[in-house]
Amino acid sequence: MTRVNTMGSLEETCASLRAQISATEEQLAGLKRDLASAEAHSVCENQSDEQRWPLLQEEYKRYGRQMIVSQIGLQGQLKLRSAKVLLVGAGGLGCPAAQYLAGAGVGTIGLIDGDTVEVSNLHRQVLHRTANVGKYKVDSAIESLRDLNPHPTYIAHRTHLTPNEAPAIFQDYDIILDCTDNPATRYLISDTAVLCGKPLVSASALRTEGQLMVLNNPLEHQGTRPEDHVIDAVVSCADGGIIGPVVGTMGVLQALEAIKVITTPEPAEGTTRPRDPPSLHIFSAYSSPLVRTIRLRSRRANCAVCSAEATVSLDTIRSGSTDYVFFCGSANLPSLLSPEERISAREYNQRQSVPSESHTVIDVRDEAQFGICSLENSINIPISTVLASNSARPTEQAAQLPSWVPSELATDSTHPIYVVCRLGNDSQIVVKKMKDLGLDQHGKRFIGDIRGGFKSWKDQVDPEWPEY
């Protein structure tokens, strides 16, 4: 009897919920009809206003504080509204840049990025939210931008920029912002912008420093490839680290430079803009002054893109014959050690659990990373310290060894030495360095690295190991 009553109660609950859903759907349909009617009425009113005023009444309120600045004015605001800006990258640089361009009233904002939002992005990529982890970055960013300003047209390119597609995409925009941290993509962006005649605002950021420059503005100043001026670090934010406000500052400066390019009045008829060469602005968060400016040389007479001897064209870019990945070098570091000189994280864990097998673990991450997490009894020797030491092979006397070599290693002991880092690249370098110093005693002592570093340690041994 109790079971019958329970089943009856569940059926009543389901019926009640269905009725509520039906009523809610009917109410939603009514609201949609009301919204469509209100929007149609608003369009009619706006069309009437536009006959008298070039901006909507809401736009005057929204951009008023900006328009009363003499460098902008009404004409500058109209230029912003008609401008089309493409941001390549919707990460640490692209988020603040897009945010301020949307706030300023740029009419069309395109975002191109094939990545999805990760938790590790959130401390610096300010358009993304925790709820959007897993979404395409461009979709997450546009969602926030629409909340900020519904007036611009937002275009999502859910892909990584490719040579085949880059020229066609760039042609639809007036100005390009390079918000990437990939050297090969930077060359692709630079060359395509030059050949398409588009001004380019390029920035980079790593750790506590950033760099910024504007190229192809005015367009007669084409040239200045990244190969001439190092504007990006080979190390990405994921590997080298970054303080959020540093990359945010560079992204905001990109937006500012783009606004300047868009709103700067055209020179009077018969005159030209000043032909000063571009400048490289270097930001350093822990230095005084915060910003230094370096004047860059003009384009080279034999520039591969914009000179009479040019070897790069839109056709070579589209066809793929200009291989940017090959030109910049492979992103995957080759293995420096033989398989016999490396062990897996799982194998090391098994060895270190045997009490009778004494050994030494050298952690070559920097001090900050070592402070986040480390293996018990490991010794921290940052790779920067190792590389800064004299590379010459010493004599057999321990006193001749570099100062970074711990005293317990400068003995005749044959206890093995294991070297570990974050991803398994730096550890290989240090293993070779230690062998060059003769610490392996001509092969009597094993010196090797833990393959894959702490990433493999988390995957194979300790799933609770902090991931940063």
Side-chain angles (χ1 to χ4, degrees):
M1 191 69 177
T2 303
R3 182 178 179 183
V4 172
N5 289 339
T6 301
M7 292 180 62
S9 176
L10 285 173
E11 289 177 356
E12 290 175 1
T13 300
C14 292
S16 174
L17 290 172
R18 292 191 191 98
Q20 291 180 52
I21 291 171
S22 178
T24 302
E25 288 177 342
E26 184 177 345
Q27 182 183 14
L28 178 60
L31 290 172
K32 288 181 177 179
R33 289 192 296 270
D34 292 343
L35 175 60
S37 176
E39 288 178 337
H41 181 67
S42 174
V43 168
C44 292
E45 286 187 347
N46 290 340
Q47 289 175 343
S48 176
D49 286 344
E50 287 174 357
Q51 295 174 4
R52 183 178 181 188
W53 305 108
L55 296 175
L56 302 176
Q57 288 298 314
E58 198 273 341
E59 289 180 295
Y60 282 101
K61 291 181 180 179
R62 181 181 288 267
Y63 309 127
R65 297 296 186 277
Q66 178 170 287
M67 287 192 291
I68 61 177
V69 176
S70 61
Q71 287 87 346
I72 304 295
L74 176 60
Q75 293 307 311
Q77 192 62 51
L78 293 173
K79 287 181 179 180
L80 288 169
R81 189 170 70 167
S82 63
K84 298 180 179 180
V85 178
L86 174 67
L87 295 89
V88 185
L93 292 167
C95 282
Q99 201 166 27
Y100 275 94
L101 291 173
V106 170
T108 301
I109 298 176
L111 292 166
I112 179 166
D113 198 314
D115 290 339
T116 57
V117 179
E118 300 178 1
V119 171
S120 61
N121 302 148
L122 300 179
H123 91 284
R124 66 190 183 282
Q125 300 181 14
V126 292
L127 285 177
H128 307 312
R129 301 290 179 264
T130 301
N132 285 349
V133 170
K135 278 189 179 181
Y136 274 109
K137 285 185 177 181
V138 291
D139 293 333
S140 172
I142 289 174
E143 180 182 310
S144 295
L145 293 172
R146 283 203 177 105
D147 286 341
L148 172 65
N149 190 352
H151 292 289
T153 298
Y154 301 104
I155 301 175
H157 301 274
R158 302 175 188 87
T159 181
H160 295 294
L161 187 68
T162 64
N164 182 49
E165 297 176 340
I169 293 175
F170 280 29
Q171 292 287 9
D172 292 335
Y173 295 90
D174 303 316
I175 182 172
I176 312 299
L177 270 64
D178 180 354
C179 304
T180 67
D181 63 358
N182 179 288
T185 305
R186 284 190 178 278
Y187 278 96
L188 170 61
I189 293 169
S190 176
D191 290 353
T192 307
V194 168
L195 295 168
C196 290
K198 308 294 182 181
L200 171 64
V201 183
S202 183
S204 64
L206 185 68
R207 299 188 180 98
T208 63
E209 298 183 347
Q211 299 180 14
L212 170 79
M213 65 180 176
V214 181
L215 303 175
N216 311 333
N217 184 56
L219 293 177
E220 303 89 74
H221 286 166
Q222 295 177 0
T224 316
R225 294 182 90 201
E227 63 187 296
D228 297 324
H229 311 289
V230 181
I231 61 171
D232 58 302
V234 174
V235 181
S236 69
C237 291
D239 296 329
I242 185 70
I243 296 179
V246 171
V247 71
T249 296
M250 305 317 297
V252 170
L253 288 175
Q254 280 186 282
L256 175 60
E257 292 296 335
I259 290 170
K260 287 163 59 179
V261 171
I262 294 167
T263 59
T264 297
E266 293 297 322
E269 188 174 348
T271 63
T272 59
R273 290 188 187 179
R275 298 179 62 84
D276 293 335
S279 298
L280 174 66
H281 306 286
I282 302 174
F283 174 84
S284 183
Y286 285 79
S287 298
S288 182
L290 288 173
V291 180
R292 294 179 293 119
T293 298
I294 300 174
R295 184 65 58 86
L296 302 178
R297 64 177 180 265
S298 299
R299 67 179 182 183
R300 297 184 307 169
N302 62 343
C303 177
V305 185
C306 60
S307 71
E309 305 174 14
T311 57
V312 178
S313 67
L314 289 178
D315 287 337
T316 66
I317 291 176
R318 292 191 192 97
S319 67
S321 60
T322 301
D323 191 334
Y324 292 99
V325 174
F326 176 80
F327 178 74
C328 294
S330 173
N332 299 317
L333 294 177
S335 178
L336 301 178
L337 304 179
S338 66
E340 293 75 23
E341 296 174 290
R342 315 191 74 187
I343 67 170
S344 68
R346 184 178 292 109
E347 184 181 357
Y348 169 73
N349 184 52
Q350 293 170 349
R351 292 188 185 183
Q352 64 94 25
S353 62
V354 179
S356 59
E357 293 191 6
S358 179
H359 64 278
T360 302
V361 181
I362 305 296
D363 187 329
V364 297
R365 296 174 299 160
D366 62 40
E367 186 177 354
Q369 294 187 55
F370 186 77
I372 295 173
C373 54
S374 62
L375 295 176
E376 186 176 359
N377 297 323
S378 60
I379 301 171
N380 183 213
I381 307 176
I383 187 172
S384 57
T385 302
V386 175
L387 296 178
S389 67
N390 189 343
S391 60
R393 184 184 179 107
T395 65
E396 297 297 326
Q397 298 173 346
Q400 297 296 318
L401 290 172
S403 60
W404 58 264
V405 177
S407 58
E408 57 264 40
L409 300 187
T411 66
D412 294 333
S413 171
T414 58
H415 291 153
I417 300 172
Y418 302 101
V419 183
V420 66
C421 66
R422 187 182 178 199
L423 300 174
N425 296 322
D426 291 347
S427 56
Q428 297 185 67
I429 297 172
V430 175
V431 167
K432 289 191 69 67
K433 182 75 171 179
M434 296 177 76
K435 288 191 171 185
D436 288 343
L437 293 172
L439 295 177
D440 65 338
Q441 299 179 30
H442 306 290
K444 296 179 182 178
R445 167 189 264 175
F446 174 84
I447 301 179
D449 85 320
I450 298 176
R451 188 171 56 249
F454 285 114
K455 184 179 186 302
S456 294
W457 184 263
K458 179 179 179 66
D459 294 340
Q460 299 177 15
V461 178
D462 185 359
E464 295 183 3
W465 189 264
E467 183 177 0
Y468 59 90

